[in-house]
Amino acid sequence: MDLFKVKFLNEAADLINNLEESVLSLENNREDGALIEQIFRVMHTFKGNSNMFGFDKIGEFTHHLETIYDLVRAKKILLSQEIVNITLFSVDHIKNLLKEDKEQNGEVLAMHTHLLSAIKEIIGKFDENKIEHTVTNLTDLTGGKMNTFHISFQPNKDILIRGNNIFYLLDDLLALGEGKAFPKIGNLPGAHEADFTSCYLEWDIFLATSESESTIKEVFMFVEGECELKITCISKDCNSFKEDKFFKEASGFTLFSNNSVVENLLKQANEKASMPADAKLSSKTVLSNKEASNIKVSSDKLDELMSLVSELVTTQARLSQFSEESKNTELNVIAENIEKISRRLRDNTFNICLVPIGSMHTRFKRLVRDLGNELNKEVNFKVEGAETELDKTIVENLTDPLLHIIRNSMDHGIEKAEDRIKSGKPANGSILLRAYNSGANVHIEIIDDGAGLDPEKIKHKALEKSLINEEDKLSKKEIFDLIFLPGFSTAETVTGISGRGVGMDVVSRNIKDLRGDIVVESTLGEGTKITIILPLTLSIIDGLLVKIEHTHFIIPLSAVEKCYEVKHEVFENNFKELIILDGEQYPYLYLRDEFNLKNNTPTIEQVIVVKNNDKQIGISVDSIVGEYQAVLKPLGKLYRSVQTISGATILGDGSVALVMDINQMIKQHSIQYKELAYEK
Amino acid sequence: MKKTILIADDSESVREVVSFTLENAGYNVLSSVDGEDAMKHLNGLDIHLVVTDLHMPKMDGISLIREIRSSEHYKGVPILFLTTESQNSKKEEAKIAGATGWIVKPFMADKLLSAVQKVIR
């Protein structure tokens, strides 16, 4: 059963999400009958499944919740705000109950009792409901002792139409003890008038059994409404039945042997009705008839696939390098083909691992709703581009940062309704989450129409906390970036929601861990836009393989703009670390200096112009090897503090190439040579 | 010959439990996610029993029962539906629509098999 339990839990998570989303939509559209119907159905399924897989508590809980929606469905009670609130609390509670270890937790138990009583109170207001409860069957007291029953069974003519088989039924009955069934054929018409789908027989059954009357009735459970059934206890023991005398007493019934013509007739009729005449197709057709549909795959399997593809790509790189060195044309062709195929395989696998951002949608909606209530602010939350896809690992790690940003917007950004009206804004605030693809990146914007960030206030705060110096000249953007520093918090009073100063720096670190970037734009009085820029995937990137002395480096291809050849003396005789390429000035980073490689300087060097956001810089390397698919491996603990290197990859010959973090390089460069930062 | 049972339930876990139990008991099992999906299987194949849930998206259990009862080939096929104790009105409705019997949720393997064996052997 445990195997199924896992399935159940997965499914339960889906159902609960579905429920939560439906309830949230229902809140804004309370008359929507289809939605109520859907909620009821989800609860119903959920109740049934929980009971079946041993989650009795959830089953019982959902049963009461379902009753409410049954009443709402039948328009017997009105869907009040109270009900919506209780439902949402219940959703949270059920989530807790699903985690079995939490089930015994005192807090959860208290919540359980509290919610249950609240739910019952709502139901209790509606008296009629109380009648609906099923009355427990009173078992009669004849069980345990041998009794002989006479059962008169008169099926309706159409009893066979619903697929019941009377012979199975009689078999079951006689299996309860010792007995005999005597058919009455009085109603049987002539062969030419008989309708093979009708039942013309009636039975008298004598049964000696230790079972109770209710057990006998149970045999007839499915045909209860389709026959006349009389069960009488004719003797308190079974002896009279076994004696011939009994049969004599029972004379007047026609005796038929088991293989009688009538039985065959009926059997045939029944089989004919239950089996299509020309049904001879093999089960293979079933498979081909099935439409292509989605399947669920556990994420472990996907991770495994992903890591296998990574290994394949690494091995393929070795093959390519080997074939190039071997100068064997045939091998070259094969290696090239494998490269092509592995690239496609890689892209396909990426695609499989992508999930739409919309999958987080419900959580955000719920947060905005709950916080809105708590802070007494009405906020409309909208999502654009919910279908935009990202690697599932990124999406998983993105939820918390996004939740935090939205929380900040709700708490600090959006003003109170009266303040909003004073400044000529609509009373309801709005938060927009917009996601879209841009090259090899995905942009996610959180835009609110709140008060916006006040650069003066931020600067003041930063000075107070000595994060900056008085003489620092900061652009507006740099001031906004200060909010990502550890220990920075502008909230005047610390609320339970935000303002503890541990927020935005964690957000920015999380985003950095995903190799992403975060940008703040804000206009005082009009609102704030926070843009998160993320790579599509984390594990393999297209890169430019370059060489400085004997060390290989990888520059992500998405950052590369142009490459130039430059004579070494240009670097020695330049002014203010600027280089002129194609008539334009670029600040540059001389990597030989950066990485402390001072020997064997080549006379001609390469400058690669890289771009991040709106900044471009040139970086110098000895030579460019070519394009390269790099499987990213994290650097060990010791090197985690090296910011300009985001990881490493293994080359075809087994040596290691370091992957540059262009974003960080540009940032560090502009800090070092602030006045030179070349903004475009 | 193995008998074939068609199950219709929108819940994957119920489908799995039911088919696991029935397959172990020696039946062929076909699965479908709702009434519409189930009807796709009823295209001339030998189906000896249909087990259906009542609440399903697209086509619900009651409509499925009616569809089967009004079809030429399958009108005599036994149909069991899955229900919870509380829904007596639904039980009536399903019976009138032509269902053979029912299985009360939650059920364990023996309960399911005994219900199935009431209608097919």
Side-chain angles (χ1 to χ4, degrees):
Chain A
M1 219 50 170
D2 265 356
L3 189 91
F4 295 126
K5 225 171 191 170
V6 174
K7 261 271 149 59
F8 164 75
L9 286 174
N10 282 338
E11 194 173 273
D14 280 356
L15 282 174
I16 283 292
N17 275 343
N18 187 329
L19 189 64
E20 189 170 3
E21 181 149 12
S22 305
V23 175
L24 286 173
S25 318
L26 188 68
E27 191 175 23
N28 300 322
N29 197 0
R30 296 196 187 177
E31 301 292 303
D32 192 334
L35 214 47
I36 295 174
E37 192 63 41
Q38 193 194 338
I39 291 175
F40 178 75
R41 204 184 61 227
V42 172
M43 283 185 180
H44 192 77
T45 309
F46 193 65
K47 174 179 86 172
N49 293 4
S50 316
N51 281 330
M52 211 153 99
F53 294 98
F55 291 83
D56 300 342
K57 218 176 211 163
I58 301 182
E60 187 212 342
F61 187 76
T62 328
H63 169 72
H64 293 295
L65 204 57
E66 179 199 358
T67 312
I68 296 182
Y69 279 85
D70 198 19
L71 292 171
V72 172
R73 196 166 67 128
K75 297 212 174 3
K76 286 179 183 163
I77 52 174
L78 220 67
L79 186 76
S80 62
Q81 184 64 39
E82 189 191 1
I83 295 181
V84 174
N85 285 344
I86 286 183
T87 315
L88 287 173
F89 276 129
S90 303
V91 165
D92 292 344
H93 180 57
I94 292 171
K95 281 183 192 164
N96 275 335
L97 286 179
L98 283 171
K99 297 175 199 142
E100 266 175 298
D101 52 322
K102 269 205 180 173
E103 206 183 307
Q104 295 310 320
N105 182 320
E107 223 171 274
V108 175
L109 285 176
M111 190 63 171
H112 191 76
T113 341
H114 174 74
L115 277 176
L116 211 55
S117 67
I119 291 169
K120 281 184 179 157
E121 194 179 316
I122 295 177
I123 302 171
K125 282 180 200 154
F126 194 82
D127 285 333
E128 200 184 305
N129 177 64
K130 282 175 185 157
I131 310 158
E132 258 192 44
H133 282 287
T134 4
V135 186
T136 2
N137 273 336
L138 292 169
T139 35
D140 43 6
L141 300 163
T142 46
K145 244 178 73 193
M146 273 293 198
N147 284 301
T148 306
F149 292 96
H150 169 228
I151 301 148
S152 158
F153 173 46
Q154 302 175 13
N156 296 348
K157 259 191 176 179
D158 62 355
I159 194 166
L160 301 176
I161 287 176
R162 293 190 179 82
N164 274 302
N165 187 323
I166 292 176
F167 293 98
Y168 294 165
L169 200 147
L170 291 175
D171 274 354
D172 282 348
L173 191 62
L174 295 178
L176 293 177
E178 267 185 87
K180 271 196 173 149
F182 304 96
K184 280 198 274 193
I185 56 162
N187 295 333
L188 200 64
H192 52 285
E193 302 168 34
D195 169 6
F196 288 121
T197 57
S198 296
C199 174
Y200 298 103
L201 295 181
E202 293 170 2
W203 274 266
D204 281 296
I205 302 125
F206 292 93
L207 179 70
T209 174
S210 56
E211 301 289 341
S212 67
E213 194 177 323
S214 61
T215 316
I216 296 174
K217 270 193 181 147
E218 220 166 78
V219 173
F220 293 94
M221 180 166 86
F222 289 169
V223 293
E224 225 173 316
E226 296 155 54
C227 65
E228 282 200 27
L229 190 66
K230 258 183 248 159
I231 305 176
T232 34
C233 182
I234 51 170
S235 162
K236 293 278 176 203
D237 59 59
C238 59
N239 295 330
S240 58
F241 175 66
K242 282 178 178 166
E243 289 164 18
D244 283 10
K245 212 172 131 200
F246 180 76
F247 278 95
K248 277 170 204 156
E249 272 172 31
S251 69
F253 300 117
T254 324
L255 294 171
F256 263 88
S257 74
N258 273 345
N259 292 323
S260 71
V261 185
V262 181
E263 190 184 312
N264 277 331
L265 193 70
L266 267 168
K267 220 172 190 168
Q268 271 172 25
N270 191 43
E271 263 172 19
K272 194 167 175 180
S274 68
M275 237 192 283
D278 54 346
K280 285 286 166 243
L281 289 172
S282 73
S283 57
K284 275 176 197 157
T285 353
V286 184
L287 291 174
S288 61
N289 278 348
K290 251 193 166 170
E291 279 170 23
S293 56
N294 294 328
I295 55 161
K296 272 187 194 162
V297 181
S298 83
S299 45
D300 290 349
K301 283 188 190 166
L302 284 183
D303 291 344
E304 173 80 19
L305 178 66
M306 202 66 219
S307 76
L308 283 176
V309 169
S310 305
E311 298 211 0
L312 178 71
V313 169
T314 314
T315 318
Q316 170 264 312
R318 265 178 79 181
L319 179 67
S320 297
Q321 196 183 2
F322 176 70
S323 82
E324 240 163 72
E325 284 162 8
S326 75
K327 309 280 181 222
N328 179 334
T329 344
E330 205 160 324
L331 184 62
N332 269 334
V333 174
I334 297 171
E336 242 170 63
N337 262 333
I338 292 199
E339 186 176 344
K340 238 186 274 167
I341 294 168
S342 63
R343 196 178 285 263
R344 281 180 59 188
L345 181 65
R346 180 199 73 176
D347 289 347
N348 264 322
T349 313
F350 278 161
N351 241 325
I352 294 171
C353 297
L354 294 181
V355 292
I357 287 172
S359 57
M360 299 184 279
H361 174 196
T362 312
R363 285 186 67 180
F364 300 150
K365 226 168 139 183
R366 176 77 191 274
L367 176 80
V368 170
R369 177 202 174 270
D370 287 357
L371 277 184
N373 282 351
E374 196 175 315
L375 300 166
N376 210 2
K377 291 175 184 172
E378 288 268 341
V379 176
N380 303 325
F381 179 67
K382 265 197 357 201
V383 177
E384 280 176 21
E387 70 287 345
T388 315
E389 290 181 319
L390 261 178
D391 189 286
K392 73 173 179 45
T393 352
I394 301 184
V395 170
E396 277 159 18
N397 290 310
L398 198 58
T399 323
D400 283 341
L402 283 179
L403 282 175
H404 194 91
I405 293 170
I406 293 174
R407 209 174 285 149
N408 267 342
S409 283
M410 292 283 296
D411 199 14
H412 312 311
I414 308 277
E415 315 91 324
K416 292 227 157 56
E418 56 265 28
D419 297 336
R420 290 180 64 87
I421 293 166
K422 258 184 230 159
S423 47
K425 289 183 189 176
N428 288 3
S430 78
I431 295 180
L432 172 68
L433 182 96
R434 183 159 58 199
Y436 55 91
N437 284 321
S438 160
N441 291 322
V442 167
H443 290 225
I444 300 173
E445 300 172 346
I446 299 110
I447 305 163
D448 70 50
D449 68 343
L453 295 171
D454 185 345
E456 284 310 308
K457 229 169 163 181
I458 295 174
K459 214 169 149 185
H460 187 72
K461 192 89 176 185
L463 278 172
E464 213 171 79
K465 305 219 163 185
S466 29
L467 296 168
I468 49 169
N469 297 321
E470 194 75 62
E471 59 270 23
D472 277 344
K473 280 194 184 112
L474 299 172
S475 71
K476 202 170 158 192
K477 216 180 136 201
E478 282 161 332
I479 292 175
F480 290 151
D481 281 344
L482 291 173
I483 65 170
F484 296 119
L485 291 177
F488 185 92
S489 171
T490 52
E492 271 140 25
T493 49
V494 172
T495 67
I497 299 149
S498 48
R500 291 206 187 86
V502 284
M504 288 312 264
D505 63 312
V506 177
V507 169
S508 110
R509 202 164 57 231
N510 285 347
I511 302 289
K512 294 257 154 64
D513 286 345
L514 295 171
R515 291 201 293 113
D517 197 17
I518 184 163
V519 180
V520 186
E521 290 162 72
S522 181
T523 315
L524 193 60
E526 281 175 25
T528 307
K529 176 165 122 183
I530 294 179
T531 311
I532 297 171
I533 302 154
L534 291 160
L536 267 176
T537 178
L538 291 177
S539 39
I540 305 186
I541 56 162
D542 276 317
L544 192 66
L545 185 63
V546 298
K547 221 173 159 180
I548 303 172
E549 216 156 290
H550 301 299
T551 316
H552 284 97
F553 292 90
I554 302 266
I555 300 171
L557 211 54
S558 55
V560 174
E561 287 278 294
K562 289 173 196 168
C563 303
Y564 297 93
E565 275 186 357
V566 178
K567 281 186 187 152
H568 179 66
E569 57 242 43
V570 177
F571 294 107
E572 296 198 326
N573 316 318
N574 79 65
F575 173 68
K576 272 200 157 185
E577 305 284 327
L578 282 173
I579 191 169
I580 295 168
L581 301 164
D582 273 352
E584 281 193 66
Q585 278 190 332
Y586 291 96
Y588 74 87
L589 210 59
Y590 193 63
L591 283 188
R592 283 186 152 265
D593 287 349
E594 290 299 312
F595 294 141
N596 264 328
L597 302 163
K598 299 246 154 94
N599 309 319
N600 312 321
T601 313
T603 46
I604 292 180
E605 287 175 84
Q606 309 285 332
V607 171
I608 300 160
V609 176
V610 290
K611 187 184 167 180
N612 182 266
N613 292 332
D614 44 6
K615 286 180 183 156
Q616 291 189 333
I617 63 165
I619 48 182
S620 74
V621 298
D622 286 6
S623 60
I624 295 172
V625 181
E627 228 182 281
Y628 190 80
Q629 300 186 65
V631 178
L632 289 184
K633 306 273 179 209
L635 291 174
K637 262 186 196 157
L638 277 175
Y639 301 102
R640 197 151 290 165
S641 56
V642 182
Q643 293 205 319
T644 45
I645 300 294
S646 62
T649 190
I650 297 163
L651 297 178
D653 60 0
S655 64
V656 171
L658 298 171
V659 181
M660 295 186 198
D661 188 335
I662 296 303
N663 194 359
Q664 281 301 323
M665 273 193 177
I666 294 179
K667 264 194 192 149
Q668 292 209 347
H669 180 266
S670 45
I671 291 167
Q672 279 171 24
Y673 306 93
K674 181 151 276 134
E675 65 276 21
L676 297 174
Y678 193 69
E679 293 207 22
K680 289 212 158 188
Chain B
M1 196 194 76
K2 271 193 180 183
K3 299 228 165 167
T4 303
I5 300 175
L6 171 66
I7 46 185
D9 198 307
D10 53 333
S11 152
E12 194 186 344
S13 56
V14 173
R15 279 202 307 273
E16 293 231 337
V17 173
V18 173
S19 57
F20 178 79
T21 314
L22 294 177
E23 271 166 8
N24 271 3
Y27 297 102
N28 279 328
V29 179
L30 300 173
S31 294
S32 53
V33 297
D34 56 43
E36 253 180 54
D37 196 18
M39 285 309 290
K40 285 182 197 153
H41 289 294
L42 299 169
N43 57 356
L45 285 170
D46 267 352
I47 306 265
H48 300 96
L49 170 67
V50 177
V51 177
T52 176
D53 191 17
L54 288 184
H55 295 275
M56 289 183 290
K58 285 194 187 162
M59 190 197 280
D60 68 4
I62 305 272
S63 319
L64 175 65
I65 295 169
R66 288 204 188 104
E67 282 280 323
I68 294 175
R69 285 289 172 253
S70 61
S71 80
E72 189 52 38
H73 277 348
Y74 295 99
K75 61 183 173 202
V77 176
I79 305 170
L80 298 179
F81 59 92
L82 305 173
T83 177
T84 51
E85 207 101 46
S86 59
Q87 298 173 289
N88 272 322
S89 59
K90 275 276 170 194
K91 216 185 255 182
E92 260 330 286
E93 206 183 329
K95 261 318 235 186
I96 291 165
T100 314
W102 58 87
I103 301 162
V104 177
K105 282 198 277 195
F107 50 80
M108 286 288 135
D110 51 342
K111 209 158 141 196
L112 171 67
L113 285 176
S114 82
V116 166
Q117 275 156 10
K118 267 183 200 294
V119 289
I120 56 168
R121 298 273 153 102

